DNA sequence: TAAATAGATCAATATATCTTGATATATTAA
DNA sequence: TTAATATATCAAGATATATTGATCTATTTA
């Protein structure tokens, strides 16, 4: 129950849905890339990323001072189906903006 | 987006998850059956049933003064997968109690 | 027609979640 | 070692959602 509620709770927010869609499309991004792409303050993104990570949707790789987030793989059936559903939504996502990483982004 | 968020929002509550599991197991029940099974006040159940119905999980059939709720069929992929997931959860559900329907329950 | 029953809805309160701005931590660059 | 950068976390206020008890509607029974 709790694990399912945690997954569902993580999906129950427009910002997090957009983050999932954006990471599905662009792969592995650091917080500051998301920050400049979404034009959101950093604490807000960091919090949402934490919720998505703890719910099993994302993984993080720390490299120096950067934290790279990406869709976790493999996902279980329910999370994968949720992600498939999100991929079909007519979301207007921002362009990818990487201005915050002068040298960091591989 | 909104339709997905509505589905997810409907799933984002322990009471509603239990109602879905209970209706999956027992089929078609009226509000008063759920009321006596779950030992919950009627307004609370009615509200949760409305949310599940509007999110596309349930259908209602009115018969006289009774309102019979059941899992809507067919469900789309995401809702069906959510229901499958709920079916695997180790929920402790109440026994079915139909004391409230002296003659109504087919 | 009056009383009883099933269910829906509303208003008030309680509880949870989100957003923001400030601050803390860690890493790298000067 | 100091400053700057990337990220995380915290506290306060704002917003959303859940619960309860009361009331309303519709239907059936006496």
């Amino acid at each position: 129950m709790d694990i399912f509620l945690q997954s569902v709770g993580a999906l129950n927010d427009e910002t997090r849905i957009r983050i999932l869609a954006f990471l599905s499309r662009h792969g592995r991004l650091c917080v500051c890339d998301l920050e400049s792409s979404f034009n959101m303050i950093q604490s807000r993104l960091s919090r949402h990323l934490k919720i998505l990570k703890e719910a099993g949707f994302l993984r993080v790789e720390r490299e120096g001072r950067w934290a790279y987030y990406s869709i976790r793989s493999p996902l279980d059936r329910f999370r994968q189906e949720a992600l498939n559903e999100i991929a079909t939504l007519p979301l207007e996502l921002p362009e990818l903006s990487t201005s915050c990483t002068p040298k960091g982004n591989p």
Side-chain angles (χ1 to χ4, degrees), chain A:
Chain A
M1 161 71 89
D2 293 334
I3 182 70
F4 180 69
L5 259 179
Q6 194 179 19
S7 294
V8 164
L11 293 169
N12 190 37
D13 182 273
E14 179 166 343
T15 299
R16 291 194 289 269
I17 290 175
R18 297 170 68 81
I19 290 172
L20 285 175
F22 200 70
L23 285 173
S24 293
R25 177 176 303 178
H26 293 292
R28 183 170 168 278
L29 298 174
C30 63
V31 180
C32 54
D33 287 339
L34 293 164
E35 199 181 337
S36 59
S37 299
F38 279 96
N39 199 28
M40 264 178 207
I41 66 175
Q42 179 267 324
S43 67
R44 182 177 173 186
L45 273 168
S46 191
R47 184 176 185 277
H48 286 302
L49 290 167
K50 182 184 187 184
I51 290 170
L52 287 168
K53 185 193 67 175
E54 289 182 344
F57 286 96
L58 300 183
R59 75 183 193 129
V60 203
E61 296 162 289
R62 274 214 155 268
E63 287 181 20
R65 50 186 157 179
W66 286 275
Y68 289 93
Y69 284 84
S70 52
I71 304 288
R72 188 166 156 179
S73 179
L75 292 174
D76 64 18
R77 283 176 58 88
F78 175 69
R79 292 191 185 84
Q80 184 59 56
E81 187 56 50
L83 220 60
N84 294 348
E85 197 69 16
I86 288 171
T88 72
L89 299 175
L91 300 176
E92 295 191 15
L93 295 173
E95 291 296 307
L96 176 58
S97 161
T98 57
S99 59
C100 60
T101 52
K103 61 169 78 162
N105 221 16

